[in-house]
Amino acid sequence: MSTLLAERPLDLVSDFPAIPAGWAYLDTAATAQKPRAVIDAIARAYGESYATVHRGVYQRSADMTLAYEAARAKVARFIGAGSPDEIVFVRGATEAINLVAQCWAAVQLKAGDRILLSMLEHHSNIVPWQMAAERVGAAIDVAPLTADGRIDLDAVERMLTPAHKLVALSHVSNVLGSVLDGARATRLAHAVGAKILLDGCQSVPRLPVDVRALGCDFYVFSGHKLYGPTGIGALWAKAELLDAMPPWQGGGAMIDRVSFQRTTYAPPPARFEAGTPHIVGALGLAAAIDYVEAIGVERIHAHETALVRDARDKLARINSVRLLGPEDSAGIVSFVVEGVHPHDVGTILDEAKVAIRAGHHCAQPLMEALGVEATARASFGVYNGADDVDALVRGVERVTRIFG
Ligand SMILES: Cc1ncc(COP(=O)(O)O)c(C=O)c1O
C-alpha cells in the first residue's frame, strides 16, 4: 500500500448515510454513494428554497436562478472551462454525447468523413456516433489497445487522416481504469483537423481535469458518478462550437422570440436547455463539487490509486485470478476468476457484503477484444479503505474455494 494511504488515509465513510457498517461498496464506477452534504443540499432546495428559474419575477425565483447559475459557474471552474456559458446542463454523459452527435456531428459531417473511436469505449460513446454516421454516410474507425489495456495512441497517430473529422475517447476507461493522455490525443486529432470529445465520466471524479490545459473541443461527465444526484451532468464545449450548433430540442427557455412565422433561438447554453431544467439536480451537483474540492481531487486520486495497487497486489496472489488493465489504473480493477462466471463471483461476494459489478459494463466490443464474456469489476470511491480491499480479497478467496 502506498505511504500516502498509510499515512493520511481518507476516513469519510461516516459522511455517507447509505453505506452501513460492514458493507464494502465497490461499485462507484457505476454510481457513487451520496454524502450527507449533497442529500442536505437537495432537501434544502426542495424543502426551503424551491421555485423555478429564469422566469419568476418574485424574489424566491430570482434567488433560485442565481443558485442555478452559480452551480453552472462552479462546474465551469471545476473543470477549467473559460466561461460558465460553455457549460450545458444535461441529464448525464449519455445525453451530452447524443447532443454533440446530433447537433455537431450530424450537421458538420458528410458522406466519406470518418470518426475515430477506441476499442474500450462505453456504449454511450459508440452508439450516438453510429447513429450520426448512418445519417450522413460517415464511417467509424476503431483504435486498438496496448497489451496492458490503454488506448494505443501510436496506433491512433497512424490511423488518423484528413478524412477524420471527430475523435471521441474515454479519458478513463470504466472497465480497465486506464488513463488516457488526453493532451496527446488532442494534439493528434488537431494535427489532422479533427475535433476531439473526451468522455470524462470516470475521470472527473478521480483526476484533476482542466479542459483548457487538455486543449480538447468537447468534454462530458455525469453528476451521479461525482457523488452528486442522478439526472444531471454537463457538456462542456468551446464557445465557438456551441455558438455554431443548432438547437436539438425545442420548447421554453431555449428561444429568443417565437411567432408562427419564425422562431429565433437563445444563445448557448440556454439554446440547449429546453424546458424547465433539473434545478435541484444542478444545486446537488454544486454541493457534490464543494464536497470533492474540500477533500481535494489530487488527494482522492492518490487514495484511489493506493487502493487499486493494494487490491491488485493481493488479488494477483490468488492463482486463478487474472487481472485486466494497467498497473496504474485509476480507481478501477477488473478481473476474471478462471472457470467462474463473473456473475457467480458477484453473487458470492454479495453474500459477504461486498458489492461489485459483474457483466459487460456497457462495453461489449471491449469484452470481445479481451476474449471474455464479462468481467468482475471493483471500483473505489472516497469512502473506501483498506478494509474494503481485504473484504474483496477474502470474498474472492472464498469464490475459489467454492469452485475448487
Ligand atoms: C466511461 C463512461 N461513459 C459514459 C457513461 C454513461 O454515463 P450515464 O449513464 O451517466 O449517462 C458511463 C457510465 O457508466 C461511463 O462509465
Side-chain angles (χ1 to χ4, degrees), residues 153-241:
L153 287 180
D154 293 337
V156 167
E157 187 166 13
R158 287 192 298 274
M159 291 171 78
L160 280 172
T161 67
H164 287 93
K165 297 294 184 274
L166 180 81
V167 175
L169 301 173
S170 257
H171 199 179
V172 167
S173 158
N174 66 309
V175 179
L176 303 172
S178 29
V179 182
L180 176 76
D181 178 345
R184 182 177 173 210
T186 299
R187 284 195 301 276
L188 295 177
H190 288 174
V192 296
K195 303 289 182 221
I196 181 164
L197 176 143
L198 295 177
D199 173 354
C201 254
Q202 301 296 340
S203 42
V204 165
R206 304 175 190 288
L207 305 173
V209 169
D210 184 326
V211 291
R212 273 181 301 174
L214 286 165
C216 58
D217 300 290
F218 303 99
Y219 202 93
V220 305
F221 74 94
S222 294
H224 69 99
K225 295 183 199 272
L226 182 66
Y227 309 97
T230 51
I232 188 82
L235 161 66
W236 168 81
K238 284 180 176 161
E240 65 268 25
L241 291 170

Side-chain angles (χ1 to χ4, degrees), residues 80-95:
S83 151
D85 290 344
E86 295 176 336
I87 301 293
V88 179
F89 280 129
V90 286
R91 280 194 294 137
T94 303
E95 189 169 75

Side-chain angles (χ1 to χ4, degrees), residues 5 9-36 38-39 202 205-206 223-228 291-292 295 299-300 303-304 307 331 355 378-389:
L5 180 60
L10 292 180
D11 186 10
L12 298 169
V13 70
S14 59
D15 289 350
F16 292 81
I19 305 182
W23 190 50
Y25 181 71
L26 300 178
D27 199 18
T28 298
T31 197
Q33 295 291 334
K34 314 306 169 200
R36 174 65 68 196
V38 168
I39 298 168
Q202 301 296 340
R206 304 175 190 288
H224 69 99
K225 295 183 199 272
L226 182 66
Y227 309 97
Y291 181 81
V292 162
I295 302 166
R299 207 166 157 225
I300 293 172
H303 177 75
E304 292 186 6
L307 289 173
S379 54
F380 299 104
V382 296
Y383 27 68
N384 293 122
D387 49 337
D388 296 320
V389 172

Side-chain angles (χ1 to χ4, degrees), residues 34-107:
K34 314 306 169 200
R36 174 65 68 196
V38 168
I39 298 168
D40 287 350
I42 293 168
R44 267 198 314 278
Y46 279 126
E48 293 171 25
S49 46
Y50 189 68
T52 194
V53 292
H54 295 150
R55 280 182 276 259
V57 290
Y58 49 95
Q59 191 58 45
R60 175 78 77 85
S61 175
D63 291 345
M64 203 45 144
T65 302
L66 287 178
Y68 181 73
E69 291 306 326
R72 191 191 308 278
K74 188 159 289 180
V75 171
R77 196 182 32 72
F78 185 59
I79 62 166
S83 151
D85 290 344
E86 295 176 336
I87 301 293
V88 179
F89 280 129
V90 286
R91 280 194 294 137
T94 303
E95 189 169 75
I97 296 170
N98 276 279
L99 198 167
V100 178
Q102 289 179 38
C103 300
W104 187 83
V107 174

